[in-house]
Amino acid sequence: MSDRATAAAETAPVELAIGGMTCAACANRVEKRLNRLEGVTATVNFATEKARVTFEGAPTSVEDLVAQVAKAGYTATVPTPEPAEDAAAPDDPTRAMGNRALISLLLSAPVILMAMVPALQFTHWQWASLTLAAPVVVWGALPFHVAAWKNLRIGAATMDTLVSLGVLSAFLWSLYALFLGTAGAPGMTHPFELTIARTDGAANIYLEVAAGVTSFILLGKYVEARSKRRAGDALRALMEMGAKEVTVLRGAGVAAREELVPVDRLAVGDRFVVRPGEKIATDGEVEVGTSAIDMSMLTGESVPVEVAPGSTVVGATVNAGGRLVVRASRVGADTRLAQMARLVEEAQNGKAAVQRLADRVSGVFVPVAIMIAVGALGFWLGTGDPAGAAFTAAVAVLIIACPCALGLATPMALMVGTGRGAQLGILIKGPEVLESTRRVDTVVLDKTGTVTTGTMALTGVTVAEGEDESEVLRLAGALESASEHPIARAIATGAAVRVGDLPTPEDFANIEGRGVQGVVDGRAVLVGRPALLAERFQQPPAALERALEEAHTEGRTAVAVGWDGRTRGVLAVADTVKPTSAEAVRHFRDLGLRPILLTGDHEAVARSVADEVGIEQVIAEVLPEEKVAVVERLQAEGRTVAMVGDGVNDAAALARSDLGLSMGTGTDVAIEAGDLTLVRGDLRAAADAVRLSRRTLGTIKGNLFWAFAYNTAALPLAAAGLLNPMLAGAAMALSSVFVVSNSGRLRRFRPLNDDAHTVDGGRPHVA
């Protein structure tokens, strides 16, 4: 390897797989730890569990990076590429978490029932509770204990710290009461009373708190993990869009033979065949044939691109016309598709991690609870009370400070909110995305497939004086029905809708890149570019000239129709605006959002669409990487940006925006890159998604407040040594009931439009 190549390899960004993270706060700690190294800039993505490290000056060794992560209490490895066949079916990482939550719930249910219902407290019931609760506290809560230990080593406190501390306090005190106190005596019961009285705690056990808190929070963790399980799948979906096999030409001239090979065996300089309807295997240059290439998923342009010998083509785009022979110019990691994959990954890594609300609250609440516990212990010991009573008060504070509702606050609201959203065709990936919806003030809209339908359609017919519009449409549609060109299909479909059955053309011939000709009902019809008909026929009438100019001004594609030496009509074809897009834009404004149209299409086309739906600002003719730059520029101006898109060309911008809303009718890549997915192809669902997300976030905040409020109110009782098991259980039950009922209010969320309500028994309507 040359010195230049060696230097390039050394300064290339390093990617690390981070293990042991349990929340966004963990990602923040790893990121801060890595950034302490001189010349290192690191971003850590909690969703993908990866760190991207870049260097200024001399690079830091991978070993030093791994060691730095280890100091933060986590693991780091250099990820190895997975075989293609394994990448298609990855293991579900949430399965083990779900099993842990289910087993813990099954063991905890009888413990909670026996503690809260005196009628179920049979002789030696306390020992049965211990038998059932012990596996939950030791095995079920193990992830919380491990995370709490890691947090302790670096002096941090999160929800995991609070859970571990409360669970262990309740369990260890219960062991003391059972083995050293009087709680283990046969016939011991917890009477159903909420009286307040001093006690040394030797007869009280809190196993239901230890087991119940663990189970509820495990359930919450599982719900959250399932909701964002696919957050890191955008890259795999992007790479899967490429062709899997390619027909390579071996040899030259008449002796050339075709060989079907896997696409990864394609080399630069190889010649390969692309038939109509097939994906182009890799970037290259056309050597033989003419066709129309559908590049909308990559560039956003709704009009197919005409190619001929010498034209460049891009891998993963679709050949919509004739047979092509292409010479490969870039393969593998050098292709445009691979570059877009790297762009998406960089955008995902660049998105700031949002620390969970529960972790932020816990970071304050945990130290306060510990201070109160230590203060209670010191106070009662200082007043000469027995050590048992003093320790009872201190431990009771830690027990009551661990609200099970904290584990339900986020996932319960998220579960109800996402359930209601799914009925309305809105899929929310995880709780982190909700915080962005509150701050969003700008919504950037892709054009093709988002504001518009994304398919070409016949939008206008102008005929010369004395001509019958139906006859012009009938003859043009009949001739175009024999062509595979996307514009031809749009004309044929539109004509069939307007005039009915079309006759079968004869002597059909394709005029490469310019039009088609043939005989329909005994007439020699010519359909194609206006320049083609101007060459063969006399100059078109003034009315048709005006129609051509108007179509060009509005960004529509004009096709001329003629026979018997005269141009008879002009047909306009364009990507049509969705009927509900203008209303959706009004809803965005009502929500305080500034809409911007962002597209790779031409300025005239974009302006025409923007005027139709009521958008003032238009940014057109941008490449995918330029879309990311536009989003970053808006963010640099202090704006919080939501992006709505549906294509591969939108994926990186969706990932980079503060809130990505992907249309479920679009590509898998865009869906995976977005934070919210709109199942329906109706842009109004984007406004509903923002409203529902904001409502869900408000519910989560309310849940968190009351999850702490009920238990905080009981802290003085605990510090005073007046807490009994029924009070602890009542506080736990009340906070949980409130969280569940408050979250249930989200089921009453209604969309802005009556026709967007659920149909077919609750299933979302898919446009």
Side-chain angles (χ1 to χ4, degrees), residues 267 373 667 679:
T667 63
V679 176

Side-chain angles (χ1 to χ4, degrees), residues 476 480 526-531 533-534 548 558-562 567-571:
E480 293 283 46
L526 181 64
V527 180
R529 295 179 182 270
L533 274 74
L548 291 172
V559 177
V561 183
T567 302
R568 310 283 178 162
V570 171
L571 310 180

Side-chain angles (χ1 to χ4, degrees), residues 169 173 206 391-401 714-715 717-719 721 723:
S169 299
W173 185 261
Y206 298 93
F391 275 99
T392 297
V395 173
V397 170
L398 298 179
I399 292 171
I400 202 65
L715 281 178
L717 295 178
L723 182 69

Side-chain angles (χ1 to χ4, degrees), residues 409 412-413 416 695-696 698-704 706 736-748:
M412 182 58 66
V416 178
R695 184 83 58 84
T696 304
T699 301
I700 289 174
K701 289 183 174 181
N703 286 349
L704 286 173
W706 288 107
S736 299
V737 167
F738 178 85
V739 164
V740 172
S741 59
N742 190 46
S743 300
R745 295 167 58 231
L746 288 170
R747 294 190 181 95
R748 298 197 293 270

Side-chain angles (χ1 to χ4, degrees), residues 24-46:
C26 299
N28 290 338
R29 282 196 289 274
V30 174
E31 190 172 290
K32 289 178 181 177
R33 178 70 67 167
L34 286 172
N35 285 326
R36 290 180 185 175
L37 295 173
E38 185 177 355
V40 168
T41 301
T43 56
V44 180
N45 190 323
F46 173 56

Side-chain angles (χ1 to χ4, degrees), residues 373-462:
V374 172
L377 176 65
F379 175 80
W380 291 116
L381 288 176
T383 57
D385 275 62
F391 275 99
T392 297
V395 173
V397 170
L398 298 179
I399 292 171
I400 202 65
C402 184
C404 71
L406 179 63
L408 292 175
T410 295
M412 182 58 66
L414 186 66
M415 187 163 55
V416 178
T418 54
R420 180 57 181 151
Q423 291 178 334
L424 300 173
I426 302 166
L427 306 181
I428 303 173
K429 280 193 175 179
E432 291 85 358
V433 307
L434 301 177
E435 294 194 48
S436 299
T437 63
R438 175 175 54 85
R439 302 188 303 272
V440 165
D441 53 28
T442 303
V443 56
V444 176
L445 304 174
D446 169 56
K447 182 186 72 68
T448 307
T450 302
V451 177
T452 67
T453 61
T455 57
M456 304 297 287
L458 181 64
T459 59
V461 180
T462 305

